[in-house]
């Protein structure tokens, strides 16, 4: 459980010291007062990255030179143990990270001790939105369940940039085939591993996804997931296929694309272009055949699945951050979603602009006004 | 600025060196001023001398004062083994223990189209020529970045079917370290590279 959060100059919150309690904490306030900033602070201090921005400079208050976050809590596995972690960010400088008494400069050190899952309006768009959103969804889970997940993604991005740069500018006459092979073989090795791990995560998620979807929508239809990586392999095949064999298939695919890639000066297939789709049991894609309501419910079910998956991994030591997700739902769905959240989760922080929207009673109330946080 | 221009210039020059910030540069500059003129001259001469005399060995690209470096010109070293390293400084790590008695080849980087580094910038034609001239083992000691891996693959491909033993250094748990403190990734690689006993 997270117990106490200290904030200094994070976005519009100048200074705050907040006691965090178990159960449901409601964060209320008008638009633009800092509700999401509070959730972001909680997420960033426990995970080491922000769900909103890429650059660390963004989170530092405009009028300040540095910002600081610190969280105290308790990890309960076999017995309970106290933990404390935090970081200091200076504009255009690196981070100073502290995990218990260990100092570091790597924000990654914050990750992996205590789970935190954020569900926001973008989750509702997950089913119909850009493939990038879905890739990020699966990659976040993959990096939790596979120790080398993040490393693979990092290396893949790196080699992709190298390969694109080679296709665009480099002299391809001098040992061109050999250079193509050297870059492509590593590319395919990383791609195949990422693909297989993503497929593994998706397969594990199907039962959870169905459970949540049924509860939110009250519907009887089953959801299936299919993985789109251009090989035509089914999800289950992708999970069980021998890695060498998969690499061979992907390498053949790249060989077919070789001539076109050299004209376009761009890598045209890879882990950065994969996607997954949600399908009805009769095989039709949700995106094109589902109603607004069905897509929204499926998006929220994906969000809850991510939470449950993370919670299993962290052995219940996970907090759920919910940001204004009730707005677009009808009364019935709102109620079932609320029931799911309060039933499954030990610690929830929910931000809402209007408290009368809330389909459940909160245990604690925080009011946010112009960056000032007060406990009511 | 309260310092005379020549002192500022010295500080600026020091500050351009790797891992030296403004503060350290200032400390170094004051240290030099406080010393005898002779030791400052020695330092200046050493800098100019090193830059003048040292050039890459024509065979392996390791730093050397003569046409061939100390290692390449030593007839007692095993002439049929080449260890491929990224930079000259890496050779020191191998030479410190004296376990390896073969020759080296310094690439000066790894394959990186982003930085404009291709096979020619890495002196790969030179390496191939050396290998075809009678070498029976090549050892890659290039780190674990994806660029290093693709460099190994590139050299392997360029060699084609030249009969040759090709090896790379093992990856895994460092000697003398406690398993409890090994990070997950290192542990995973160590598992992948486990050996039969």
């Amino acid at each position: 459980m997270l117990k106490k959060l200290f904030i200094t100059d994070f976005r519009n919150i100048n200074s705050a010291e907040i006691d965090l309690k178990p159960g449901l904490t409601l964060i209320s306030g008008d638009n633009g007062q800092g509700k999401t900033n509070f959730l972001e602070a909680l997420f960033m201090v426990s995970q080491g990255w922000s769900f909103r921005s890429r650059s660390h400079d963004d989170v530092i208050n405009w009028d300040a030179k540095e910002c600081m976050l610190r969280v105290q809590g308790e990890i309960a596995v076999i017995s309970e143990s106290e933990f404390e972690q935090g970081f200091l960010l200076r504009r255009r400088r690196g981070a100073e990270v502290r995990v218990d008494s260990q100092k570091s400069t790597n924000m990654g050190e914050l990750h992996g001790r205590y789970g935190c899952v954020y569900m926001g309006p973008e989750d509702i768009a997950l089913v119909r939105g850009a493939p990038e959103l879905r890739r990020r969804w699966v990659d976040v889970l993959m990096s939790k369940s596979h120790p080398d997940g993040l490393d693979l993604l990092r290396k893949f991005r790196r080699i992709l940039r190298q390969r694109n740069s080679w296709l665009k500018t480099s002299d391809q006459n001098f040992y061109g085939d050999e250079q193509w092979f050297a870059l492509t073989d590593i590319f395919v090795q990383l791609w195949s591993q990422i693909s297989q791990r993503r497929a593994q995560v998706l397969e594990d998620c199907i039962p959870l996804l169905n459970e949540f979807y049924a509860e939110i929508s009250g519907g009887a239809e089953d959801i299936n997931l299919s993985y789109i990586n251009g090989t035509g392999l089914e999800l289950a095949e992708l999970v069980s296929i021998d890695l060498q064999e998969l690499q061979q298939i992907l390498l053949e695919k790249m060989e077919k694309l070789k001539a076109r890639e050299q004209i376009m000066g761009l890598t045209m297939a890879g882990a950065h272009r994969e996607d997954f789709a949600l399908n009805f049991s009769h095989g039709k894609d949700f995106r094109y055949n589902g109603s607004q309501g069905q897509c929204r419910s499926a998006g929220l079910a994906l969000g809850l699945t991510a939470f449950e998956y993370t919670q299993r991994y962290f052995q219940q030591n996970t907090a759920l951050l919910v940001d204004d997700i009730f707005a677009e739902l009808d009364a019935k769905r709102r109620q079932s979603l609320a029931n799911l959240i309060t039933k499954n989760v030990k610690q929830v922080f929910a931000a809402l602009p209007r408290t009368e929207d809330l389909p459940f009673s909160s245990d604690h109330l925080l009011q946010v006004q112009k960056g000032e946080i007060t406990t009511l | 600025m309260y310092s005379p221009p020549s002192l500022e210039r010295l500080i600026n020059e020091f500050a351009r060196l790797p891992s030296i910030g403004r503060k350290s540069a200032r400390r170094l500059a004051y240290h030099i001023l406080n010393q005898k003129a002779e030791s400052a001259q020695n330092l200046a001469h050493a800098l100019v001398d090193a830059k003048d005399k040292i050039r890459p060995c024509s065979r392996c690209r390791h730093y050397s004062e003569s046409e061939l470096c100390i290692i390449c010109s030593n007839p007692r070293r095993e002439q049929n083994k080449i260890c491929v390293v990224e930079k000259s400084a890496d050779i020191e790590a191998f030479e410190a223990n004296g376990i390896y008695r073969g020759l080296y080849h310094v690439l000066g980087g790894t394959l990186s189209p982003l930085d404009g580094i291709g096979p020619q910038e890495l002196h790969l034609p030179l390496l191939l020529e050396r290998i075809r001239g009678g070498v029976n083992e090549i050892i890659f000691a290039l780190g674990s970045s994806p660029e290093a891996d693709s460099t190994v693959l590139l050299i392997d491909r360029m060699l084609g079917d030249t009969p040759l033993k090709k090896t790379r250094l093992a990856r895994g748990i460092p000697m003398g370290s406690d398993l409890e403190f090994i990070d997950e990734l290192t542990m995973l690689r160590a598992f992948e590279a486990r050996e039969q006993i």
Side-chain angles (χ1 to χ4, degrees):
Chain A
M1 197 188 82
L2 301 173
K3 288 182 143 177
K4 197 161 188 154
L5 176 68
F6 301 85
I7 304 177
T8 311
D9 290 325
F10 182 86
R11 299 232 188 228
N12 76 339
I13 305 168
N14 291 112
S15 171
E17 206 181 303
I18 306 135
D19 288 311
L20 309 171
K21 305 214 174 73
L24 178 88
T25 303
L26 182 70
I27 300 120
S28 72
D30 293 333
N31 289 126
Q33 301 299 307
K35 297 185 297 294
T36 304
N37 294 348
F38 171 78
L39 296 182
E40 187 187 13
L42 210 47
F43 185 89
M44 203 168 166
V45 75
S46 56
Q47 305 302 298
W49 57 283
S50 160
F51 53 76
R52 266 211 289 191
S53 59
R54 297 259 147 176
S55 154
H56 288 159
D57 277 6
D58 290 348
V59 303
I60 304 173
N61 185 306
W62 290 346
D63 301 323
K65 284 194 182 117
E66 54 187 45
C67 82
M68 199 203 69
L69 291 179
R70 187 153 58 95
V71 70
Q72 293 171 345
E74 229 169 45
I75 304 175
V77 181
I78 300 162
S79 61
E80 295 192 339
S81 66
E82 302 268 320
F83 82 99
E84 178 172 342
Q85 61 183 38
F87 61 84
L88 175 82
L89 291 177
R90 293 201 181 90
R91 219 173 267 286
R92 286 186 294 276
R93 300 265 290 276
E96 272 176 39
V97 176
R98 198 178 264 259
V99 174
D100 291 331
S101 56
Q102 292 270 326
K103 279 188 188 172
S104 158
T105 53
N106 178 6
M107 291 288 277
E109 299 279 335
L110 298 167
H111 178 88
R113 302 179 85 210
Y114 200 89
C116 209
V117 174
Y118 171 82
M119 273 176 78
E122 30 314 9
D123 282 289
I124 298 178
L126 203 53
V127 174
R128 281 192 175 154
E132 195 197 341
L133 294 173
R134 287 183 290 279
R135 277 197 298 273
R136 194 164 88 168
W137 182 89
V138 68
D139 286 346
V140 167
L141 297 187
M142 179 183 81
S143 63
K144 288 186 174 114
S145 58
H146 294 85
D148 60 348
L150 270 183
D151 186 61
L152 286 173
L153 289 168
R154 201 172 45 81
K155 283 184 175 164
F156 179 82
R157 255 176 246 138
R158 177 88 195 151
I159 207 76
L160 173 65
R161 286 182 59 208
Q162 293 283 15
R163 201 170 177 277
N164 279 338
S165 169
W166 183 77
L167 284 167
K168 215 168 284 170
T169 57
S170 289
D171 175 20
Q172 297 173 12
N173 297 324
F174 186 75
Y175 283 103
D177 279 345
E178 284 77 6
Q179 286 196 64
W180 179 87
F181 180 82
L183 288 164
T184 308
D185 195 77
I186 297 291
F187 178 85
V188 161
Q189 277 181 30
L190 294 164
W191 178 14
S192 62
Q193 292 180 65
I194 292 171
S195 246
Q196 199 161 46
R197 281 163 178 69
R198 281 176 177 166
Q200 180 71 57
V201 168
L202 290 175
E203 205 184 47
D204 290 348
C205 282
I206 293 177
L208 290 170
L209 183 63
N210 275 300
E211 191 185 313
F212 290 124
Y213 182 74
E215 286 197 50
I216 296 170
S217 66
E221 67 259 18
D222 267 353
I223 303 184
N224 240 320
L225 293 176
S226 60
Y227 200 62
I228 305 159
N229 75 344
T231 54
L233 289 170
E234 297 284 329
L235 192 60
E237 291 173 313
L238 202 51
V239 172
S240 58
I241 193 172
D242 178 61
L243 199 60
Q244 304 278 330
E245 208 177 315
L246 179 59
Q247 278 167 12
Q248 199 49 47
I249 294 172
L250 296 178
L251 194 61
E252 277 163 24
K253 189 176 169 58
M254 295 312 288
E255 261 157 13
K256 279 190 200 132
L257 286 171
K258 191 173 173 184
R260 264 173 73 202
E261 281 190 336
Q262 269 158 348
I263 296 167
M264 303 287 283
L266 195 68
T267 300
M268 296 180 68
H272 61 304
R273 290 194 164 209
E274 292 183 340
D275 193 1
F276 67 89
L278 282 77
N279 303 316
F280 290 104
S281 48
H282 49 70
K284 289 252 162 89
D285 192 328
F286 255 75
R287 262 176 296 187
Y288 313 116
N289 302 286
S291 70
Q292 287 285 4
Q294 283 171 322
C295 285
R296 261 179 220 150
S297 304
L300 290 169
L302 279 173
L304 287 169
T305 302
F307 176 77
E308 190 56 36
Y309 194 91
T310 311
Q311 178 155 269
R312 282 184 187 173
Y313 174 74
F314 283 103
Q315 306 179 329
Q316 313 301 319
N317 294 293
T318 305
L320 178 62
L321 312 176
V322 176
D323 195 2
D324 203 8
I325 54 172
F326 297 101
E328 290 181 60
L329 298 176
D330 60 38
K332 208 176 122 213
R333 283 179 194 214
R334 214 180 274 183
Q335 194 55 52
S336 11
L337 179 60
N339 293 345
L340 273 177
I341 288 173
T342 41
K343 187 179 79 186
N344 287 354
V345 191
K346 279 196 203 149
Q347 207 176 16
V348 193
F349 298 90
L352 275 184
R354 291 177 308 171
T355 43
E356 61 269 24
D357 263 4
L358 193 69
F360 41 54
S361 61
S362 61
D363 303 316
H364 319 283
L365 200 58
L366 292 176
Q367 172 92 37
V368 186
Q369 203 167 23
K370 287 186 181 160
E372 292 280 329
I373 303 172
T374 39
T375 312
L376 294 178
Chain B
M1 285 299 140
Y2 302 107
S3 328
S6 52
L7 177 55
E8 273 306 312
R9 188 176 149 215
L10 182 60
I11 293 170
N12 285 339
E13 289 303 320
F14 275 131
R16 283 171 50 192
L17 299 175
S19 75
I20 305 251
R22 288 289 306 174
K23 259 188 192 164
S24 309
R26 191 166 286 274
R27 200 173 306 138
L28 288 174
Y30 279 112
H31 175 78
I32 299 240
L33 290 183
N34 288 336
Q35 283 193 320
K36 284 181 189 155
E38 196 189 325
S39 65
Q41 266 158 14
N42 283 343
L43 176 65
H45 285 147
L47 284 174
V48 175
D49 230 29
K51 199 63 201 165
D52 260 2
K53 288 189 186 153
I54 296 178
R55 54 193 163 152
C57 161
S58 64
R59 203 185 282 172
C60 73
R61 316 293 302 171
H62 183 33
Y63 289 134
S64 163
E65 278 192 15
S66 45
E67 182 69 23
L68 283 184
C69 71
I70 305 170
I71 296 168
C72 287
S73 53
N74 182 350
R76 293 218 302 272
R77 301 207 59 129
E78 296 173 54
Q79 304 290 323
N80 50 12
K81 274 187 190 152
I82 295 182
C83 176
V84 180
V85 296
E86 198 178 319
K87 49 190 190 299
S88 258
D90 297 340
I91 291 182
E92 298 300 325
F94 289 99
E95 288 304 296
N97 54 43
I99 290 172
Y100 178 66
R101 299 295 299 155
L103 305 175
Y104 294 94
H105 191 86
V106 181
L107 293 178
T110 47
L111 183 65
S112 176
L114 276 174
D115 307 306
I117 300 179
Q120 260 150 332
E121 286 72 22
L122 297 177
H123 310 293
L124 292 189
L126 183 70
L127 176 63
L128 293 194
E129 204 179 296
R130 285 183 72 193
I131 291 171
R132 290 187 183 126
V135 164
N136 55 28
E137 181 173 357
I138 174 165
I139 302 145
F140 293 101
L142 288 177
S144 63
S145 67
E147 284 86 351
D149 287 341
S150 58
T151 309
V152 173
L153 271 176
L154 175 63
I155 297 172
D156 184 41
R157 271 276 153 148
M158 287 171 85
L159 282 169
D161 40 14
T162 315
L164 185 67
K165 186 176 169 193
K166 299 164 203 156
T167 53
R168 82 162 84 189
L169 294 188
R171 294 166 182 183
I173 297 165
M175 289 299 285
S177 55
D178 200 324
L179 287 185
E180 200 184 335
F181 301 113
I182 301 292
D183 67 287
E184 289 173 327
L185 202 57
T186 309
M187 191 64 99
L188 192 75
R189 295 288 168 259
F191 253 95
E192 284 171 358
R194 66 186 184 276
E195 351 176 290
Q196 187 107 34
I197 46 170

